[in-house]
Amino acid sequence: MSQVLQEVLSANQEYAATFGKKGNLPLPPGRRFAILTCMDARLDPAKYAGLAEGDAHVIRNAGGRASDDAIRSLVISYKLLGTREWFVIHHTDCGMQLFTDTIIRELLTNSLETAVIDENGWRDIGQGSGSTEGEFVDWLTFKDLAESVFVDVKRIRNHPLVPPTIPIYGFIYDVKTGQLIEVPSATEVGRATVPAIASS
């Protein structure tokens, strides 16, 4: 058993021992909103957005991008579980800005082992064989952070399965300060165009 696996299982035992009434939380998120954000380990949506278990849906992927699968999750979040507002939150110093689709495709073609980056850029140190399957993936890399938030909010807003009643807010999380910084153009393009119908 690896040390990491042991640590995770030990932490889970401690957590479960004091789980208490959390087992009675309802399925729909209590605060009726969802966050799409990056998988970066420095981001803790529970802390930066003040969440407790049961409060909100948090959807995470590399870059916090509005991929087809992320939008699938958001649509389910609204249609079946009642969320009424969505946040798209990217962050400073994002690893997705450190490479391009071409770079990762070339690295994967060379080897499936972990690559390294140095002053000369990315290089593959793997010994195994690679795969050309990466050619068929849209890796959703980006260079301009605010533009990526805008593009993702706009993509969600224009999706045919997303109702016009849901406001979509665009933000950047600053990994040096912990602050959320609004991207006004993204929030504007994501604004609800039809008022929500009140429901219980």
Side-chain angles (χ1 to χ4, degrees), residues 5-15:
L5 177 55
Q6 287 178 327
E7 291 168 354
V8 168
L9 293 177
S10 175
N12 178 253
Q13 285 180 344
E14 291 180 24
Y15 178 70

Side-chain angles (χ1 to χ4, degrees), residues 39-199:
M39 67 184 190
D40 191 297
R42 296 169 293 179
L43 279 62
D44 187 343
K47 291 180 180 172
Y48 73 59
L51 304 179
E53 287 101 326
D55 278 350
H57 286 152
V58 178
I59 300 149
R60 299 182 76 156
N61 64 33
R65 301 308 311 268
S67 63
D68 289 342
D69 191 60
I71 294 174
R72 175 189 70 91
S73 295
L74 288 168
V75 169
I76 291 169
S77 175
Y78 161 77
K79 184 66 177 176
L80 301 181
L81 295 163
T83 58
R84 296 177 179 169
E85 299 174 80
W86 296 343
F87 291 75
V88 173
I89 303 174
H90 294 188
H91 67 95
T92 59
D93 194 33
C94 185
M96 295 295 286
Q97 295 176 279
L98 300 178
F99 63 97
T100 63
D101 283 24
T102 300
I103 289 172
I104 192 168
R105 287 174 180 149
E106 289 174 357
L107 289 169
L108 288 166
T109 299
N110 292 334
S111 168
L112 298 182
E113 301 295 322
T114 301
V116 297
I117 189 171
D118 57 27
E119 64 277 356
N120 298 315
W122 287 99
R123 66 190 166 85
D124 209 317
I125 58 171
Q127 301 300 314
S129 61
S131 172
T132 58
E133 290 299 312
E135 296 291 330
F136 306 106
V137 175
D138 182 353
W139 296 99
L140 301 173
T141 58
F142 58 89
K143 291 297 180 193
D144 187 302
L145 190 53
E147 178 68 13
S148 71
V149 176
F150 174 82
V151 166
D152 280 357
V153 170
K154 185 175 181 181
R155 182 164 193 255
I156 296 166
R157 170 83 292 142
N158 292 337
H159 196 281
L161 297 179
V162 173
T165 55
I166 293 184
I168 309 161
Y169 313 114
F171 283 86
I172 294 169
Y173 173 82
D174 188 329
V175 299
K176 300 298 185 190
T177 67
Q179 291 183 309
L180 289 175
I181 302 159
E182 186 175 22
V183 179
S185 60
T187 296
E188 176 58 26
V189 79
R191 68 182 170 79
T193 57
V194 175
I197 297 171
S199 62

Side-chain angles (χ1 to χ4, degrees), residues 14-24 53:
E14 291 180 24
Y15 178 70
T18 60
F19 200 65
K21 295 183 179 179
K22 293 176 188 173
N24 298 324
E53 287 101 326

